[in-house]
Amino acid sequence: MVDPASHASGCHEAVHYHHTGGHILSTRPVHGHVARRLFQLYGGLALYGASSALLVRSGLGLEPWNVLHQGLSERTGLSMGVVLTIVGAGVLLLWIPLRQRPGLGTVSNVLVIGAAMDATLAVVPDAHGWTPRIAMMASGIVLNGAATGLYIAARFGPGPRDGLMTGLNRRTGLSVRLVRTVLEITVVATGFVLGGTVGVGTLLYALSIGPLAQVFLRVFAVPEPSQGGTVVAAGRPRRAILRP
């Protein structure tokens, strides 16, 4: 679900792209390597949910959309994973007027990340003391970067929130950067008012997830059978493309 984040997906000469803060990641379908790609897809989504849960347990701040999910969870009594799934499904419905087309990765994003988050929250307790909290926060951010690399390199389609952003970019003509900024400020502010956690982890995530995702995109890039090479993001994405 990397801008991975903000990424605009478009189609030029039968080639699909994600725009990453001015850089472009090719998302052309990969022929072959299906088993590996599926493993990366579901492994990445599960790891994304688990790493997000570590950020929750650190208590030091969450990713922008999870600030909203946590706030809604506090208000409704539903688990964060259930809220994440409901919000993801709702955002996916907004793709219809934007004429976005979901892929296997899009639907799987809605179903898997929330379940993985709840499963992890059920077995990992809150961290107490600064050292455990900082360690859990750092682990969550790094693992989230790895999850992003796994998921995006599989190239099965963007997450629902990414598609909303790229759809608004295409329909309004506004830049991806502006659309993303407005969306994330809105969800963070709303989530904070509802009781979501904003802190140093939120800031560190924003600063580090792009470079981390870039590294892991190269690590997990799926070889192109016809060329024997790999396709990776050009330049450094400033954010993560995968959104829970």
Side-chain angles (χ1 to χ4, degrees):
M1 302 155 148
V2 213
D3 221 2
S6 257
H7 17 244
S9 107
C11 180
H12 304 282
E13 298 179 354
V15 178
H16 297 275
Y17 299 97
H18 284 304
H19 295 266
T20 60
H23 305 291
I24 298 176
L25 168 67
S26 171
T27 56
R28 290 177 298 174
V30 178
H31 300 290
H33 305 291
V34 175
R36 171 178 170 175
R37 291 173 61 215
L38 287 171
F39 177 81
Q40 289 194 193
L41 169 65
Y42 291 107
L45 292 175
L47 183 59
Y48 197 97
S51 61
S52 294
L54 294 181
L55 289 172
V56 174
R57 291 308 190 205
S58 76
L60 294 176
L62 305 176
E63 315 98 294
W65 278 93
N66 275 336
V67 175
L68 175 63
H69 299 149
Q70 187 181 53
L72 289 171
S73 175
E74 293 288 334
R75 296 289 179 166
T76 63
L78 298 173
S79 71
M80 273 192 71
V82 170
V83 170
L84 187 153
T85 300
I86 292 172
V87 171
V91 170
L92 192 55
L93 291 177
L94 297 177
W95 282 34
I96 297 173
L98 296 175
R99 298 180 181 178
Q100 294 284 89
R101 294 182 180 180
L104 175 63
T106 309
V107 177
S108 298
N109 183 298
V110 175
L111 299 175
V112 175
I113 294 179
M117 174 182 282
D118 276 350
T120 305
L121 289 173
V123 298
V124 177
D126 288 331
H128 299 287
W130 283 106
T131 299
R133 293 176 71 191
I134 292 172
M136 192 168 286
M137 176 192 69
S139 298
I141 292 174
V142 172
L143 291 174
N144 199 278
T148 298
L150 278 166
Y151 171 84
I152 298 172
R155 287 182 277 179
F156 276 110
R161 294 152 188 81
D162 299 319
L164 173 63
M165 180 169 42
T166 58
L168 288 172
N169 158 254
R170 188 168 59 250
R171 294 299 295 273
T172 66
L174 298 174
S175 70
V176 172
R177 192 183 307 278
L178 177 60
V179 172
R180 178 187 175 141
T181 299
V182 171
L183 282 175
E184 294 203 346
I185 289 176
T186 300
V187 298
V188 168
T190 303
F192 180 72
V193 170
L194 293 174
T197 304
V198 176
V200 64
T202 309
L203 177 60
L204 290 177
Y205 181 91
L207 294 174
S208 62
I209 194 64
L212 285 170
Q214 180 65 37
V215 169
F216 286 110
L217 276 167
R218 294 184 181 278
V219 171
F220 298 120
V222 178
E224 290 278 12
S226 61
Q227 300 174 359
T230 58
V231 177
V232 296
R236 289 176 55 190
R238 297 193 178 185
R239 310 253 180 138
I241 198 169
L242 175 62
R243 296 291 175 198

